[in-house]
Amino acid sequence: MQKMHELLRMGDLAAFVGIVDDGGFAESARRRGVSASTLSRSVTRLEEQLKVALLRRTTRSIEITPEGSAVLAEAREILDRSETLQEIATSGQAPAGPLRVNAPVPYVLHVLAPRLAEFHAKYPEIQLSIDMTDTVVDLIGSHADVAIRLGQLPDSDMLHRPLGRTSWKLVATPEYLDRHGWPETPVDLAQLEQVRFAAPDHINTLHFAGLAEPVTVPPAMTAGNGEAVRRMVLGGLGIARFSDFMIEEDILAGHLVELFPSQLQAEPLAISALYLTRVSGLRRLGVFLDWLEALIE
């Protein structure tokens, strides 16, 4: 393996890595716009040159062999070095190339999307691709170069950059409160209804200063997406608490009112960008992270 990069085609190595990351020939071929037979030939060439079986193939799945796992680690390193060299060679030029971003739906809609035109105007050669999910993803498996996450990060080997913090606000529409009564104290919230998040459940728990126990508000409806919860609250279904970036404009426009801002007790939520060590040297990633950080300032 020591001089594998001198023996093998970079395209074959990239094909092998892609097949493993995509979980099979068909999906990898679809993502790359090539035929599965082309990828199969690449793997066959690697196996013939290395004289080992890299993958066990069935009609429905693939399984990487122990030898394949060893080759995979080396192949990733070689491909990473190659991309780093390309970055160095073009260091005098504007950052360019594809950058795949994964972020929660509300963050994309309320923070990124309104400002992406600015980023594109500044770095027109960077081709951003944005996937939206509200769950933690595997960066390799999801083909993401960087993932934006809210809350405490799990222990991992991934690098991360803090992007700021977002506070919580408990809100409802004025019309809803006109119909059901404006609460004078947090305890009065129990006479209203709450639009709840399916997960994580702690968002639905309402703690207030001076109260030993959280206030329990009867549920009106539950949704598994933060933006759906927001739309339900705007539609007059009940109260809910949100990260401030989600409802800041709604409050300014008078569509929502904040309830008990000085009494609601909820730790601000950290916003972080996670990325893999193997892409940490890419200039296009660096300028994107710098831009993200400036959004929160």
Side-chain angles (χ1 to χ4, degrees):
M1 308 267 183
Q2 185 174 0
K3 295 186 177 181
M4 186 168 70
H5 60 293
E6 298 177 5
L7 303 173
L8 307 173
R9 301 179 184 180
M10 297 294 289
D12 291 346
L13 293 176
F16 171 57
V17 172
I19 291 163
V20 175
D21 289 347
D22 293 329
F25 286 85
E27 177 63 15
S28 192
R30 185 189 67 80
R31 285 181 176 271
R32 287 159 177 74
V34 300
S35 66
S37 60
T38 296
L39 297 181
S40 181
R41 285 193 294 271
S42 290
V43 173
T44 298
R45 273 195 298 267
L46 284 179
E47 291 178 328
E48 289 176 348
Q49 289 179 284
L50 295 173
K51 296 180 172 41
V52 295
L54 302 176
L55 300 172
R56 298 188 186 96
R57 313 177 209 188
T58 70
T59 55
R60 294 186 178 180
S61 64
I62 62 168
E63 179 182 351
I64 191 167
T65 65
E67 294 81 5
S69 295
V71 171
L72 181 67
E74 293 283 341
R76 289 196 196 282
E77 185 174 347
I78 290 168
L79 293 171
D80 295 341
R81 287 177 180 174
S82 174
E83 189 160 14
T84 299
L85 287 174
Q86 290 176 351
E87 289 281 327
I88 293 172
T90 59
S91 59
Q93 303 174 18
L99 190 66
R100 296 156 298 188
V101 181
N102 185 281
V105 175
Y107 193 85
V108 173
L109 296 180
H110 296 281
V111 180
L112 289 186
R115 304 285 296 275
L116 283 176
E118 301 171 16
F119 182 83
H120 181 66
K122 189 172 184 180
Y123 302 106
E125 299 304 315
I126 297 178
Q127 296 107 44
L128 277 183
S129 174
I130 299 179
D131 290 325
M132 296 186 290
T133 57
D134 286 332
T135 56
V136 177
V137 299
D138 168 28
L139 288 183
I140 293 177
S142 64
H143 306 278
D145 297 310
V146 57
I148 299 170
R149 284 295 166 260
L150 308 180
Q152 185 175 356
L153 299 177
D155 293 333
S156 74
D157 295 329
M158 286 187 292
L159 298 178
H160 70 277
R161 180 185 294 192
L163 299 177
R165 294 164 72 83
T166 177
S167 59
W168 294 96
K169 287 181 169 62
L170 179 67
V171 297
T173 64
E175 295 79 10
Y176 174 82
L177 297 175
D178 286 340
R179 292 196 309 270
H180 297 275
W182 288 71
E184 297 183 5
T185 70
V187 175
D188 297 333
L189 292 170
Q191 307 305 313
L192 304 178
E193 290 183 304
Q194 181 181 25
V195 183
R196 295 189 175 180
F197 291 79
D201 186 61
H202 70 79
I203 299 179
N204 304 315
T205 303
L206 303 177
H207 290 276
F208 294 92
L211 297 179
E213 298 294 330
V215 175
T216 300
V217 183
M221 203 165 291
T222 300
N225 174 277
E227 190 60 21
V229 174
R230 171 179 168 269
R231 296 301 305 177
M232 291 177 183
V233 171
L234 286 169
L237 276 173
I239 69 171
R241 73 174 170 109
F242 299 93
S243 301
D244 57 4
F245 67 78
M246 286 187 66
I247 38 80
E248 181 179 12
E249 292 188 2
D250 296 322
I251 292 175
L252 291 174
H255 301 314
L256 295 174
V257 294
E258 186 177 4
L259 300 170
F260 308 111
S262 61
Q263 294 172 266
L264 180 67
Q265 293 186 324
E267 282 294 319
L269 206 58
I271 306 173
S272 308
L274 288 76
Y275 50 99
L276 297 172
T277 304
R278 65 188 183 91
V279 298
S280 60
L282 297 182
R283 289 196 305 130
R284 58 182 177 270
L285 174 59
V287 297
F288 182 70
L289 291 174
D290 291 342
W291 180 77
L292 283 177
E293 199 167 6
L295 286 181
I296 309 297
E297 293 177 352

